[in-house]
Amino acid sequence: MRRRFRAAECAVAGLLLLLGTACGSRLPESDFENRPDDNAPTRAGGEPVRVGIITSATSPVGGDAFTGPRDGAKAYFERLNARGGIDGRQVEVRTCDDGGSGVGNNECVHKLLDEEKVVALVAGSSLDYAGASRVSRARVPDIGGQPIGPAYDTYPHLYSIYGSLAPRDGKPGWDGKLYGGTEVYRYFKREQGARTAAVVSYNQPASAAYARLITRGLKAEGYKVVTEQVDFSLPNFRAVAADLKEQGADLVFDAIDSYGNAQLCKAMDDVGAEVLAKVTNVQNWSSKVREDYKDSPRCRNALWATGSSRNFEDTDHEAVREFRDATKDLKTHSQWQLEGWAAAMWFTDAADSCAETGITRACVDRFVADGKPYTADGLLLPVTYERLPEPPETRRTCVSVARWGDAEGWVSQDDMNGNCFDVPQLAYEP
């Protein structure tokens, strides 16, 4: 039962990550009056520039579930320092493990902001970002974090790796609702000819809620949708796999955790259920596929991943080659590592722009918030931060797509900047 409990937490975190929506919020400016002067450089002269990274490294989900962004960012800063740093100043990285709890997160925020006096937070990945409002009130830019919960869609000065269009007025999105597009479903319909899609979930609230959102998106794109729900404590994946085969599903989407996905894939192989694509998300886009799906070779070779960043195995791209060279000693590689690397680059470009006048929290924040699309030398789909008074009904959205093959690893499917669609934006509550 303890294993299933941990799987539940992973499932909940994974569901939030799947959304990757463009939402946010903004606190009243009055909240920021009469505060200490944050415009003074955090470090003077040639002293190091200090940044902080908060990670749920020892959360109930597991030891390596959230460490990818941290590892990618640290690798970037190590290479940057070897090349002279920022305007001759080294970058000092201060990490903090919040243990996956709100109490631990608040402690990390206090330590890094008040004691370490970091100029910014970078590449955060927290299961419970309880200290987000405190970071925002202190006007400390939080750059390139993973939107595991709604914090990055709620407060100003927090910038997830995926951007935001919402007014950011103190509550998530627009009137408490976030919005997500249907570009992934459109891609598989237009490019792969899929027509029937299955959605697998647990009989657990967060899992079921996200499954409903997937189902809405698929139906909006004209799919026949087959919904499958399994018992959270004693899931019968074999029965699900048999029904997928009977229904002739082209695609399988899920609202379950990594452990459940591996069991589902094994069951699909056991009953001979073959699909066009078993679609997973950026959190599971890693080099551990052979290990995670060792018992299901057919399903394993039908795995597809979608996201908003360039495939970490696309070494024909110069920026990816540099990332891979700098992380060659890591045991595994993942898309989250690449996005952490991109977050560190984003901070560095902001700090570089401030070098002459002083690398301050306020200056770094202005660079990130100025609304110009940011791509981290082509590693990211353009990331923008705007404040639209109303949610867009439709939006042109691009998607990065890769397919797993045992012989090649993750293979990009066309260029992510060309996989673009005008799609409806669907509301959901975080």
Side-chain angles (χ1 to χ4, degrees), residues 175-220:
D175 296 323
K177 292 183 178 180
L178 309 183
Y179 286 77
T182 61
E183 59 274 6
V184 171
Y185 318 129
R186 180 77 60 86
Y187 171 83
F188 283 101
K189 181 180 179 181
R190 192 182 82 174
E191 301 298 326
Q192 305 301 324
R195 293 295 181 268
T196 301
V199 183
V200 182
S201 66
Y202 291 124
N203 61 345
Q204 184 259 1
S207 178
Y210 185 62
R212 289 193 294 270
L213 180 63
I214 298 174
T215 299
R216 284 179 57 207
L218 288 165
K219 288 183 175 179

Side-chain angles (χ1 to χ4, degrees), residues 165-167 174-175 179 387-393:
L165 298 178
W174 291 263
D175 296 323
Y179 286 77
R387 287 174 173 169
L388 304 183
E390 300 292 335
E393 294 183 1

Side-chain angles (χ1 to χ4, degrees), residues 38-99:
D38 285 329
N39 288 324
T42 305
R43 290 289 180 269
E47 293 184 10
V49 177
R50 187 170 292 179
V51 300
I53 303 176
I54 301 177
T55 306
S56 295
T58 58
S59 75
V61 175
D64 60 353
F66 295 101
T67 56
R70 178 201 67 190
D71 295 344
K74 288 178 65 178
Y76 182 88
F77 287 130
E78 287 172 5
R79 174 155 290 198
L80 176 69
N81 286 337
R83 294 174 174 175
I86 300 173
D87 194 35
R89 298 169 63 182
Q90 297 285 287
V91 175
E92 279 188 1
V93 179
R94 293 289 184 264
T95 61
C96 190
D97 174 13
D98 65 15

Side-chain angles (χ1 to χ4, degrees), residues 288-340:
K288 295 176 60 181
V289 169
R290 288 186 184 86
E291 176 185 343
D292 292 343
Y293 297 89
K294 62 181 183 299
D295 297 323
S296 46
R298 284 197 303 273
C299 181
R300 182 174 70 230
N301 282 279
L303 284 175
W304 295 59
T306 63
S308 299
S309 52
R310 190 172 298 278
N311 181 6
F312 72 87
E313 293 205 37
D314 188 7
T315 52
D316 288 339
H317 193 277
E318 182 179 356
V320 176
R321 284 199 305 273
E322 183 170 2
F323 160 73
R324 290 300 298 269
D325 180 63
T327 58
K328 60 181 180 294
D329 292 333
L330 294 179
K331 293 181 180 179
T332 61
H333 286 93
S334 72
Q335 206 63 17
W336 264 19
Q337 290 170 359
L338 180 139
E339 291 181 353

Side-chain angles (χ1 to χ4, degrees), residues 273-293:
E274 297 186 16
V275 295
L276 173 67
K278 171 68 181 72
V279 186
T280 188
N281 61 82
V282 65
Q283 191 180 20
N284 297 316
W285 190 342
S286 77
S287 60
K288 295 176 60 181
V289 169
R290 288 186 184 86
E291 176 185 343
D292 292 343
Y293 297 89

